[in-house]
Amino acid sequence: MPSISKRVVASYLLDCAIAAVGAGLWKVTPNHRPFTLTDPSISFPHTQEIISTAVLFVVSAVAPLIITLLVAFIVPPRDPTLTKKSLIWRRKLWEWHTAWLGLCLSLALSLFFVQAMKNLFGRPRPDLLSRCDPDWEHQADYAIGGFPQVLNGFYLVSSAICRQTDKAKLDDGFSSFPSGHASYSWAGMSYLALFLAAKFGFSIPYLPMTSSSSSTAKPSPAAALPTANGRSQLQQHLLASHSPPSPRSATAAPPLLLLLLPLIPICVAIYITATRFSDFRHHPGDIIFGALMGLGLSLFTFRLYHLPIRRGGGASWRARSVQGAFGLGGEEERKRSDDFVAGGDVEMGNLDSEGRNGKVDEGASSSLGERR
């Protein structure tokens, strides 16, 4: 069996380490943005969360990790060139590796950006006053702004007015923007939806652009003039040519059963996001921004390690070459892309040369050892 390059393995271990460092930015004391005691948007009661942080982690991280693992090993690769069981299992291991790497990166980036922005902005939550327990009688002593001479009692106060003794509870009251539950759930659930759609071949029907339709020349005005038989040259040409196939025969709508696979994770993310509004934990803008950020991160990390859903056959990108393991082999990477366009191998480390021919020659074996 061809050897695996330690340099390539080290590059993927570095990917995992970077993801772990991104997730390691845990909450520090956030910025306490000044507020007013007469603001109705922060006057909601402090209630029990429907989806706790522990439940969020299980649903958005642990469940997708287990599901992607099972799907990677149960669903066979849609590659007819893989004929040997050893190669099929190697492909499944690779698909498992890239699925977990992309998912963990999506979740880690979500946690990193959410915690950083929460600490920087320090926006009060809708239930801040309930957490704060302010000193109503002496609010003028804590005023740092406002217009009490214009509006009676309108003071802009600091968090020092709060009599809350639980520091963690008070700090959490200034962590409204963006919604971590929304971002984290969408980062995990939408990644899972994309993975399932790719593995089970779900895509929306579409009509690709054809070269014949795009290169057809515009008929001249003379072609529309009538000839001796009363028909124009254009009409005679259309009658003589064969009728093109109907566009509706190009494809068909996928069965709804396939639609349920990616739709279920999306519905879970929507539900988790909605609970943050009903629990009075976030303002609408916090939730929308967090959901969009999680969705964008999942799209980015999925395409970073996986082929497009419509044309990729549910596969991942091949492994890096030895020279390109740390981003230093650009010229070789371009050459390998040119080989793919010319009909060369598309499998990681030339793996499909064994699947097609049933054996690996010495050149291919050495090439595989270098690339792996």
Side-chain angles (χ1 to χ4, degrees), residues 319-367:
R320 300 162 187 156
S321 63
V322 176
Q323 290 75 10
F326 294 97
L328 303 178
E331 193 63 34
E332 179 180 338
E333 295 298 323
R334 285 192 292 271
K335 182 179 181 301
R336 293 180 71 176
S337 299
D338 294 339
D339 292 341
F340 164 71
V341 175
D345 77 272
V346 300
E347 186 55 45
M348 55 179 182
N350 214 19
L351 284 181
D352 62 344
S353 62
E354 184 175 352
R356 289 194 185 102
N357 302 327
K359 59 180 181 179
V360 180
D361 55 29
E362 296 179 358
S365 177
S366 61
S367 173

Short mmCIF file of all heavy atoms in Angstrom, two decimals, residues 319-367:
data_model
loop_
_atom_site.label_atom_id
_atom_site.label_comp_id
_atom_site.label_asym_id
_atom_site.label_seq_id
_atom_site.Cartn_x
_atom_site.Cartn_y
_atom_site.Cartn_z
N ALA A 319 -6.92 14.96 -1.54
CA ALA A 319 -5.94 15.39 -0.54
C ALA A 319 -4.92 16.33 -1.17
O ALA A 319 -4.73 16.35 -2.38
CB ALA A 319 -5.24 14.18 0.06
N ARG A 320 -4.28 17.12 -0.33
CA ARG A 320 -3.26 18.03 -0.81
C ARG A 320 -2.02 17.28 -1.26
O ARG A 320 -1.75 16.18 -0.80
CB ARG A 320 -2.90 19.03 0.30
CG ARG A 320 -4.06 19.86 0.78
CD ARG A 320 -3.76 20.48 2.12
NE ARG A 320 -4.96 21.16 2.66
CZ ARG A 320 -5.17 21.39 3.92
NH1 ARG A 320 -4.28 21.00 4.82
NH2 ARG A 320 -6.29 22.00 4.33
N SER A 321 -1.27 17.91 -2.12
CA SER A 321 0.02 17.34 -2.51
C SER A 321 1.06 17.66 -1.44
O SER A 321 0.83 18.49 -0.55
CB SER A 321 0.46 17.92 -3.86
OG SER A 321 0.65 19.32 -3.74
N VAL A 322 2.19 17.01 -1.53
CA VAL A 322 3.25 17.25 -0.55
C VAL A 322 3.75 18.69 -0.66
O VAL A 322 3.93 19.38 0.35
CB VAL A 322 4.42 16.26 -0.77
CG1 VAL A 322 5.57 16.58 0.17
CG2 VAL A 322 3.95 14.84 -0.58
N GLN A 323 3.96 19.17 -1.89
CA GLN A 323 4.44 20.53 -2.07
C GLN A 323 3.40 21.56 -1.69
O GLN A 323 3.74 22.67 -1.26
CB GLN A 323 4.88 20.75 -3.53
CG GLN A 323 6.14 20.01 -3.94
CD GLN A 323 5.91 18.51 -4.14
OE1 GLN A 323 4.77 18.06 -4.16
NE2 GLN A 323 6.99 17.77 -4.30
N GLY A 324 2.13 21.23 -1.84
CA GLY A 324 1.06 22.17 -1.52
C GLY A 324 0.44 21.96 -0.16
O GLY A 324 -0.63 22.51 0.11
N ALA A 325 1.08 21.18 0.70
CA ALA A 325 0.49 20.87 2.00
C ALA A 325 0.30 22.12 2.85
O ALA A 325 -0.69 22.24 3.58
CB ALA A 325 1.38 19.87 2.75
N PHE A 326 1.24 23.06 2.76
CA PHE A 326 1.14 24.29 3.55
C PHE A 326 1.00 25.52 2.66
O PHE A 326 1.44 26.61 3.02
CB PHE A 326 2.37 24.42 4.46
CG PHE A 326 2.44 23.36 5.51
CD1 PHE A 326 3.23 22.24 5.32
CD2 PHE A 326 1.71 23.46 6.68
CE1 PHE A 326 3.29 21.24 6.29
CE2 PHE A 326 1.77 22.48 7.65
CZ PHE A 326 2.56 21.35 7.45
N GLY A 327 0.41 25.31 1.49
CA GLY A 327 0.13 26.43 0.61
C GLY A 327 1.32 26.90 -0.20
O GLY A 327 1.33 28.03 -0.68
N LEU A 328 2.36 26.06 -0.35
CA LEU A 328 3.57 26.47 -1.04
C LEU A 328 3.73 25.80 -2.41
O LEU A 328 4.73 26.00 -3.07
CB LEU A 328 4.82 26.14 -0.19
CG LEU A 328 4.83 26.75 1.22
CD1 LEU A 328 6.07 26.30 1.97
CD2 LEU A 328 4.79 28.27 1.13
N GLY A 329 2.76 25.02 -2.81
CA GLY A 329 2.87 24.29 -4.08
C GLY A 329 1.87 24.75 -5.10
O GLY A 329 1.21 23.93 -5.74
N GLY A 330 1.75 26.04 -5.28
CA GLY A 330 0.74 26.57 -6.19
C GLY A 330 0.94 26.11 -7.61
O GLY A 330 -0.02 25.79 -8.31
N GLU A 331 2.21 26.06 -8.08
CA GLU A 331 2.45 25.67 -9.46
C GLU A 331 2.05 24.22 -9.70
O GLU A 331 1.44 23.88 -10.72
CB GLU A 331 3.93 25.87 -9.79
CG GLU A 331 4.26 25.79 -11.28
CD GLU A 331 3.57 26.90 -12.06
OE1 GLU A 331 3.41 28.01 -11.53
OE2 GLU A 331 3.16 26.62 -13.21
N GLU A 332 2.35 23.34 -8.74
CA GLU A 332 1.97 21.93 -8.91
C GLU A 332 0.46 21.76 -8.82
O GLU A 332 -0.12 20.95 -9.54
CB GLU A 332 2.65 21.08 -7.84
CG GLU A 332 2.26 19.59 -7.96
CD GLU A 332 2.93 18.74 -6.90
OE1 GLU A 332 3.97 19.18 -6.38
OE2 GLU A 332 2.40 17.66 -6.60
N GLU A 333 -0.18 22.53 -7.93
CA GLU A 333 -1.62 22.44 -7.81
C GLU A 333 -2.29 22.86 -9.11
O GLU A 333 -3.26 22.24 -9.54
CB GLU A 333 -2.11 23.32 -6.66
CG GLU A 333 -1.63 22.87 -5.29
CD GLU A 333 -2.13 21.48 -4.95
OE1 GLU A 333 -3.27 21.15 -5.29
OE2 GLU A 333 -1.36 20.72 -4.33
N ARG A 334 -1.77 23.90 -9.76
CA ARG A 334 -2.34 24.31 -11.05
C ARG A 334 -2.12 23.24 -12.10
O ARG A 334 -2.98 23.01 -12.96
CB ARG A 334 -1.72 25.63 -11.48
CG ARG A 334 -2.24 26.84 -10.72
CD ARG A 334 -1.81 28.13 -11.37
NE ARG A 334 -0.38 28.33 -11.27
CZ ARG A 334 0.21 28.94 -10.25
NH1 ARG A 334 -0.52 29.43 -9.26
NH2 ARG A 334 1.52 29.10 -10.21
N LYS A 335 -0.96 22.58 -12.06
CA LYS A 335 -0.69 21.51 -13.02
C LYS A 335 -1.66 20.35 -12.83
O LYS A 335 -2.15 19.76 -13.80
CB LYS A 335 0.75 21.02 -12.88
CG LYS A 335 1.14 19.94 -13.89
CD LYS A 335 2.59 19.54 -13.70
CE LYS A 335 2.98 18.48 -14.73
NZ LYS A 335 2.14 17.27 -14.63
N ARG A 336 -1.96 20.01 -11.58
CA ARG A 336 -2.88 18.92 -11.32
C ARG A 336 -4.29 19.29 -11.77
O ARG A 336 -5.04 18.45 -12.25
CB ARG A 336 -2.87 18.57 -9.83
CG ARG A 336 -1.55 17.99 -9.38
CD ARG A 336 -1.57 17.66 -7.90
NE ARG A 336 -2.42 16.51 -7.62
CZ ARG A 336 -2.56 15.97 -6.42
NH1 ARG A 336 -1.90 16.48 -5.41
NH2 ARG A 336 -3.37 14.95 -6.24
N SER A 337 -4.66 20.55 -11.63
CA SER A 337 -5.96 21.00 -12.13
C SER A 337 -6.01 20.90 -13.64
O SER A 337 -7.02 20.51 -14.22
CB SER A 337 -6.23 22.44 -11.68
OG SER A 337 -6.27 22.53 -10.28
N ASP A 338 -4.89 21.24 -14.32
CA ASP A 338 -4.84 21.11 -15.77
C ASP A 338 -4.95 19.65 -16.19
O ASP A 338 -5.58 19.32 -17.19
CB ASP A 338 -3.54 21.71 -16.31
CG ASP A 338 -3.47 23.22 -16.10
OD1 ASP A 338 -4.56 23.83 -15.91
OD2 ASP A 338 -2.36 23.77 -16.11
N ASP A 339 -4.32 18.75 -15.41
CA ASP A 339 -4.44 17.32 -15.71
C ASP A 339 -5.88 16.85 -15.60
O ASP A 339 -6.34 16.02 -16.37
CB ASP A 339 -3.55 16.51 -14.76
CG ASP A 339 -2.07 16.76 -15.01
OD1 ASP A 339 -1.74 17.25 -16.10
OD2 ASP A 339 -1.26 16.49 -14.10
N PHE A 340 -6.59 17.38 -14.60
CA PHE A 340 -7.99 17.01 -14.45
C PHE A 340 -8.81 17.46 -15.65
O PHE A 340 -9.62 16.73 -16.19
CB PHE A 340 -8.57 17.62 -13.18
CG PHE A 340 -10.07 17.61 -13.13
CD1 PHE A 340 -10.75 16.42 -12.95
CD2 PHE A 340 -10.79 18.78 -13.29
CE1 PHE A 340 -12.13 16.40 -12.92
CE2 PHE A 340 -12.17 18.76 -13.27
CZ PHE A 340 -12.84 17.58 -13.08
N VAL A 341 -8.59 18.70 -16.11
CA VAL A 341 -9.32 19.20 -17.27
C VAL A 341 -9.00 18.38 -18.51
O VAL A 341 -9.85 18.13 -19.36
CB VAL A 341 -8.99 20.69 -17.50
CG1 VAL A 341 -9.63 21.21 -18.77
CG2 VAL A 341 -9.45 21.52 -16.31
N ALA A 342 -7.74 17.93 -18.60
CA ALA A 342 -7.34 17.13 -19.76
C ALA A 342 -7.76 15.68 -19.65
O ALA A 342 -7.48 14.88 -20.55
CB ALA A 342 -5.82 17.21 -19.92
N GLY A 343 -8.39 15.29 -18.55
CA GLY A 343 -8.87 13.92 -18.40
C GLY A 343 -8.01 13.07 -17.52
O GLY A 343 -8.12 11.84 -17.55
N GLY A 344 -7.12 13.69 -16.74
CA GLY A 344 -6.27 12.93 -15.85
C GLY A 344 -7.01 12.48 -14.61
O GLY A 344 -8.23 12.56 -14.53
N ASP A 345 -6.22 12.02 -13.60
CA ASP A 345 -6.87 11.49 -12.40
C ASP A 345 -7.49 12.62 -11.61
O ASP A 345 -6.99 13.73 -11.55
CB ASP A 345 -5.87 10.70 -11.55
CG ASP A 345 -4.94 11.60 -10.76
OD1 ASP A 345 -3.89 11.98 -11.29
OD2 ASP A 345 -5.29 11.91 -9.62
N VAL A 346 -8.62 12.32 -11.00
CA VAL A 346 -9.34 13.28 -10.17
C VAL A 346 -9.38 12.82 -8.72
O VAL A 346 -9.94 13.49 -7.88
CB VAL A 346 -10.79 13.48 -10.67
CG1 VAL A 346 -10.78 14.00 -12.08
CG2 VAL A 346 -11.59 12.18 -10.61
N GLU A 347 -8.81 11.69 -8.46
CA GLU A 347 -8.90 11.13 -7.12
C GLU A 347 -7.73 11.60 -6.28
O GLU A 347 -6.68 11.98 -6.80
CB GLU A 347 -8.90 9.59 -7.22
CG GLU A 347 -9.14 8.89 -5.91
CD GLU A 347 -10.41 9.36 -5.28
OE1 GLU A 347 -11.41 9.49 -5.98
OE2 GLU A 347 -10.40 9.62 -4.08
N MET A 348 -7.91 11.59 -5.00
CA MET A 348 -6.86 12.05 -4.12
C MET A 348 -5.65 11.14 -4.22
O MET A 348 -5.75 9.92 -4.14
CB MET A 348 -7.36 12.08 -2.67
CG MET A 348 -7.92 10.77 -2.18
SD MET A 348 -8.44 10.91 -0.46
CE MET A 348 -8.97 9.22 -0.18
N GLY A 349 -4.51 11.77 -4.48
CA GLY A 349 -3.28 11.02 -4.53
C GLY A 349 -3.27 9.93 -5.56
O GLY A 349 -2.65 8.89 -5.39
N ASN A 350 -3.95 10.09 -6.69
CA ASN A 350 -3.95 9.11 -7.77
C ASN A 350 -4.56 7.80 -7.34
O ASN A 350 -4.21 6.74 -7.85
CB ASN A 350 -2.52 8.89 -8.26
CG ASN A 350 -2.47 8.61 -9.76
OD1 ASN A 350 -3.42 8.91 -10.47
ND2 ASN A 350 -1.36 8.05 -10.21
N LEU A 351 -5.52 7.81 -6.41
CA LEU A 351 -6.12 6.58 -5.90
C LEU A 351 -6.88 5.84 -6.98
O LEU A 351 -6.94 4.62 -6.97
CB LEU A 351 -7.06 6.88 -4.74
CG LEU A 351 -6.41 7.22 -3.41
CD1 LEU A 351 -7.48 7.47 -2.38
CD2 LEU A 351 -5.49 6.11 -2.97
N ASP A 352 -7.48 6.55 -7.95
CA ASP A 352 -8.32 5.86 -8.90
C ASP A 352 -7.52 5.13 -9.96
O ASP A 352 -8.07 4.39 -10.75
CB ASP A 352 -9.29 6.84 -9.57
CG ASP A 352 -8.56 7.91 -10.36
OD1 ASP A 352 -7.35 8.07 -10.13
OD2 ASP A 352 -9.22 8.57 -11.19
N SER A 353 -6.19 5.32 -10.02
CA SER A 353 -5.42 4.53 -10.96
C SER A 353 -5.48 3.06 -10.61
O SER A 353 -5.50 2.18 -11.47
CB SER A 353 -3.95 5.00 -10.95
OG SER A 353 -3.38 4.82 -9.66
N GLU A 354 -5.58 2.75 -9.31
CA GLU A 354 -5.72 1.36 -8.91
C GLU A 354 -7.13 0.85 -9.15
O GLU A 354 -7.35 -0.28 -9.51
CB GLU A 354 -5.36 1.22 -7.44
CG GLU A 354 -5.39 -0.21 -6.94
CD GLU A 354 -4.93 -0.32 -5.51
OE1 GLU A 354 -4.44 0.68 -4.96
OE2 GLU A 354 -5.05 -1.43 -4.95
N GLY A 355 -8.12 1.74 -8.94
CA GLY A 355 -9.50 1.33 -9.15
C GLY A 355 -9.79 1.03 -10.60
O GLY A 355 -10.58 0.16 -10.92
N ARG A 356 -9.15 1.74 -11.53
CA ARG A 356 -9.42 1.51 -12.95
C ARG A 356 -8.65 0.32 -13.47
O ARG A 356 -9.17 -0.49 -14.22
CB ARG A 356 -9.03 2.76 -13.74
CG ARG A 356 -9.94 3.96 -13.53
CD ARG A 356 -9.66 5.00 -14.60
NE ARG A 356 -10.43 6.20 -14.35
CZ ARG A 356 -9.95 7.31 -13.82
NH1 ARG A 356 -8.68 7.34 -13.45
NH2 ARG A 356 -10.71 8.37 -13.64
N ASN A 357 -7.36 0.23 -13.13
CA ASN A 357 -6.50 -0.77 -13.75
C ASN A 357 -6.38 -2.04 -12.94
O ASN A 357 -5.91 -3.05 -13.45
CB ASN A 357 -5.10 -0.19 -13.95
CG ASN A 357 -5.15 1.08 -14.80
OD1 ASN A 357 -6.00 1.18 -15.68
ND2 ASN A 357 -4.26 2.03 -14.53
N GLY A 358 -6.78 -1.99 -11.67
CA GLY A 358 -6.67 -3.16 -10.82
C GLY A 358 -5.30 -3.33 -10.21
O GLY A 358 -5.05 -4.25 -9.47
N LYS A 359 -4.37 -2.44 -10.57
CA LYS A 359 -3.04 -2.51 -9.98
C LYS A 359 -2.42 -1.13 -10.04
O LYS A 359 -2.85 -0.25 -10.77
CB LYS A 359 -2.15 -3.51 -10.72
CG LYS A 359 -1.99 -3.15 -12.20
CD LYS A 359 -1.12 -4.16 -12.91
CE LYS A 359 -0.92 -3.80 -14.39
NZ LYS A 359 -0.06 -4.77 -15.07
N VAL A 360 -1.34 -0.99 -9.31
CA VAL A 360 -0.64 0.29 -9.28
C VAL A 360 0.76 0.07 -9.79
O VAL A 360 1.50 -0.76 -9.25
CB VAL A 360 -0.60 0.87 -7.83
CG1 VAL A 360 0.12 2.18 -7.82
CG2 VAL A 360 -2.00 1.00 -7.28
N ASP A 361 1.14 0.80 -10.85
CA ASP A 361 2.50 0.66 -11.32
C ASP A 361 3.44 1.44 -10.41
O ASP A 361 3.03 2.16 -9.54
CB ASP A 361 2.63 1.15 -12.78
CG ASP A 361 2.13 2.56 -12.96
OD1 ASP A 361 2.20 3.34 -12.00
OD2 ASP A 361 1.66 2.88 -14.05
N GLU A 362 4.74 1.30 -10.67
CA GLU A 362 5.70 1.91 -9.76
C GLU A 362 5.62 3.42 -9.79
O GLU A 362 5.73 4.09 -8.77
CB GLU A 362 7.12 1.44 -10.13
CG GLU A 362 7.31 -0.06 -9.94
CD GLU A 362 8.71 -0.48 -10.33
OE1 GLU A 362 9.48 0.41 -10.77
OE2 GLU A 362 9.05 -1.65 -10.18
N GLY A 363 5.41 3.99 -10.98
CA GLY A 363 5.30 5.45 -11.07
C GLY A 363 4.12 5.98 -10.32
O GLY A 363 4.21 6.97 -9.61
N ALA A 364 2.99 5.30 -10.48
CA ALA A 364 1.79 5.77 -9.78
C ALA A 364 1.94 5.61 -8.28
O ALA A 364 1.47 6.44 -7.51
CB ALA A 364 0.57 5.02 -10.29
N SER A 365 2.58 4.49 -7.88
CA SER A 365 2.75 4.26 -6.45
C SER A 365 3.65 5.31 -5.82
O SER A 365 3.36 5.84 -4.75
CB SER A 365 3.33 2.87 -6.22
OG SER A 365 3.57 2.63 -4.86
N SER A 366 4.76 5.65 -6.49
CA SER A 366 5.63 6.66 -5.94
C SER A 366 4.96 8.03 -5.94
O SER A 366 5.14 8.82 -5.03
CB SER A 366 6.93 6.73 -6.73
OG SER A 366 6.66 7.05 -8.10
N SER A 367 4.18 8.28 -7.00
CA SER A 367 3.46 9.55 -7.06
C SER A 367 2.47 9.65 -5.92
O SER A 367 2.30 10.70 -5.30
CB SER A 367 2.74 9.69 -8.39
OG SER A 367 1.92 10.83 -8.40
#
